[in-house]
Amino acid sequence: MIFALRNLSGRWLSLGIKCSVRSFGCGQAALGAAALKGRHLLSLKDFSGEEIKQFLWTAADLKMRIKQKGEILPLLQGKSIAMIFEKRSTRTRISTETGFAVLGGHPCFLTTQDIHLGVNESRKDTARVLSGMTDVILARVYKHSDLEQLAEDGTIPVINGLSELYHPIQILADYLTLQEHFGTLNGLTLSWIGDGNNVLHSFMMSAPKLGMHLNVATPKGFEPDADVTKVAKSLAGECGTKLFFTNDPMEAASGANVLVTDTWVSMGQEEEKAERLKAFHGYQITMKTGKSAAPNWTFLHCLPRKAEEVDDEVFYSPRSLVFQEAENRKWTIMGAMVNILTDYSPLSNKPKF
């Protein structure tokens, strides 16, 4: 969701995140809760495949213990989270706010009416103030550089609730959903049909590490950022997975286990609506698209959805996992927050990834 990054030159992928930069390919990093505690979650680029699996395992474990077994787990009791939202949200806000509270913590929701990053107080001072009053920051912002500065100047972990460059917490929910449905992630082929935006970027920075192949179809002029693409191609080569780009949706859908799309007109792009609807003509996902996919194909959309992106027949069909995907936003952000703030280790058996 949000902001296609068209024709952005290299200035973003200095990318490297100025704070605690760790760019992992397929090699294993240190495993377990200790490897994640205290880390920033700005992009999945900074996590190994095994660390991403640890996030997912914790999420699945919490879902089983809390939802299925009815356990009360006050793992975040006495802790608080500052939730900075420059953009409106349904899933990110509700999942984070309720998830943190279910775990015994106190969420503090801050809109642009409450806090203006860099306007009435510098970002540096905001980061320092929040570091003294809360335990973690989740920020949903327009500029990824604002997240980097919060992380650089603060002393507590920062979680990316969405920026124009990445949306990592959405992708964690997508992966948990696919693992639940298919029983594994390794070997799956994802077909992205839509805008070259932050959600796609997050898939590109992580799918190869999990053994997943990625086909990408975007209209000309709406391709993913060139620097993100360069890193993704390197990751795919290192991990032995396929990364394919085309302007033909049917070609991208060929043999795919998962068809994925997103909004064509994101917040801040309303003036481009007519141009975008024209450019994306022919990109709607329908059952005809599914005929090119693998027999077991499923559908994902991070929501909110518009009918021009996917028709009702697909969206409300048994192949659609969108509402399971939406619910898993809660369990995966809970898993991420628990891993980042505590030494918790899952009690359930590790799922097959």
Side-chain angles (χ1 to χ4, degrees):
M1 193 174 188
I2 310 308
F3 287 1
L5 287 160
R6 291 188 292 167
N7 303 320
L8 284 181
S9 59
R11 74 188 191 101
W12 280 116
L13 216 68
S14 331
L15 256 176
I17 300 175
K18 304 170 187 172
C19 42
S20 69
V21 177
R22 312 208 315 179
S23 180
F24 288 115
C26 296
Q28 292 191 3
L31 304 184
L36 299 174
K37 188 176 181 181
R39 299 267 297 275
H40 301 300
L41 176 49
L42 303 189
S43 167
L44 294 178
K45 173 179 180 285
D46 305 310
F47 294 87
S48 69
E50 291 303 318
E51 289 171 337
I52 295 171
K53 292 174 186 177
Q54 185 72 30
F55 280 131
L56 299 175
W57 183 11
T58 302
D61 182 77
L62 294 176
K63 186 175 183 179
M64 181 269 292
R65 295 187 65 187
I66 296 172
K67 181 180 181 179
Q68 298 175 15
K69 292 188 174 182
E71 295 184 44
I72 297 175
L73 300 177
L75 300 173
L76 301 181
Q77 187 170 2
K79 298 186 182 297
S80 58
I81 182 171
M83 299 169 54
I84 301 173
F85 277 59
E86 292 184 338
K87 300 181 179 185
R88 64 185 181 271
S89 167
T90 299
R91 281 148 294 279
T92 302
R93 178 180 179 178
I94 298 300
S95 62
T96 305
E97 195 165 344
T98 61
F100 207 84
V102 165
L103 293 167
H106 178 77
C108 184
F109 182 69
L110 302 167
T111 71
T112 54
Q113 302 303 310
D114 307 299
I115 187 170
H116 291 228
L117 286 177
V119 178
N120 60 333
E121 185 171 35
S122 71
R123 296 175 184 85
K124 177 181 288 190
D125 291 355
T126 297
R128 292 182 177 183
V129 169
L130 293 179
S131 293
M133 295 184 178
T134 64
D135 299 280
V136 61
I137 297 169
L138 180 140
R140 184 177 175 92
V141 298
Y142 283 97
K143 297 192 296 182
H144 193 78
S145 58
D146 285 346
L147 292 170
E148 294 178 329
Q149 187 161 5
L150 285 172
E152 181 177 335
D153 293 325
T155 58
I156 59 176
V158 176
I159 298 173
N160 180 358
L162 176 145
S163 71
E164 89 290 18
L165 192 60
Y166 292 121
H167 197 359
I169 59 176
Q170 174 62 53
I171 302 308
L172 290 176
D174 292 358
Y175 289 151
L176 180 62
T177 303
L178 295 176
Q179 195 284 328
E180 291 174 337
H181 181 79
F182 288 104
T184 187
L185 299 176
N186 185 54
L188 293 179
T189 296
L190 278 69
S191 171
W192 177 272
I193 299 173
D195 197 6
N197 64 11
N198 55 359
V199 177
L200 173 57
H201 289 163
S202 293
F203 274 126
M204 291 168 66
M205 291 295 96
S206 56
K209 301 174 188 178
L210 300 172
M212 305 173 78
H213 310 294
L214 187 58
N215 297 339
V216 178
T218 58
K220 292 181 180 180
F222 294 85
E223 293 87 357
D225 175 69
D227 286 332
V228 174
T229 300
K230 182 178 179 180
V231 175
K233 287 180 177 179
S234 177
L235 275 175
E238 184 180 338
C239 299
T241 61
K242 298 175 183 177
L243 180 59
F244 174 71
F245 296 93
T246 180
N247 301 119
D248 183 348
M250 300 303 286
E251 187 177 19
S254 179
N257 307 106
V258 189
L259 302 180
V260 194
T261 193
D262 190 11
T263 183
W264 297 346
V265 184
S266 298
M267 285 180 278
Q269 296 176 335
E270 289 80 6
E271 293 183 0
E272 302 175 26
K273 183 175 181 178
E275 173 196 353
R276 284 175 163 271
L277 290 180
K278 182 179 179 180
F280 283 88
H281 179 72
Y283 275 71
Q284 183 190 49
I285 293 181
T286 66
M287 287 297 179
K288 182 179 178 181
T289 317
K291 289 181 179 179
S292 294
N296 64 346
W297 69 273
T298 59
F299 174 75
L300 294 179
H301 191 304
C302 69
L303 307 179
R305 160 259 185 179
K306 303 293 189 299
E308 60 264 22
E309 300 150 5
V310 53
D311 67 9
D312 284 354
E313 187 178 9
V314 171
F315 188 77
Y316 293 108
S317 75
R319 293 185 180 272
S320 175
L321 305 179
V322 295
F323 297 110
Q324 179 182 348
E325 176 188 13
E327 180 191 339
N328 279 337
R329 287 292 306 276
K330 178 172 181 174
W331 302 110
T332 47
I333 191 59
M334 289 169 69
M337 294 186 297
V338 165
N339 279 136
I340 289 169
L341 292 176
T342 78
D343 295 310
Y344 180 79
S345 294
L347 299 184
S348 59
N349 292 328
K350 186 175 183 178
K352 180 180 178 182
F353 293 109

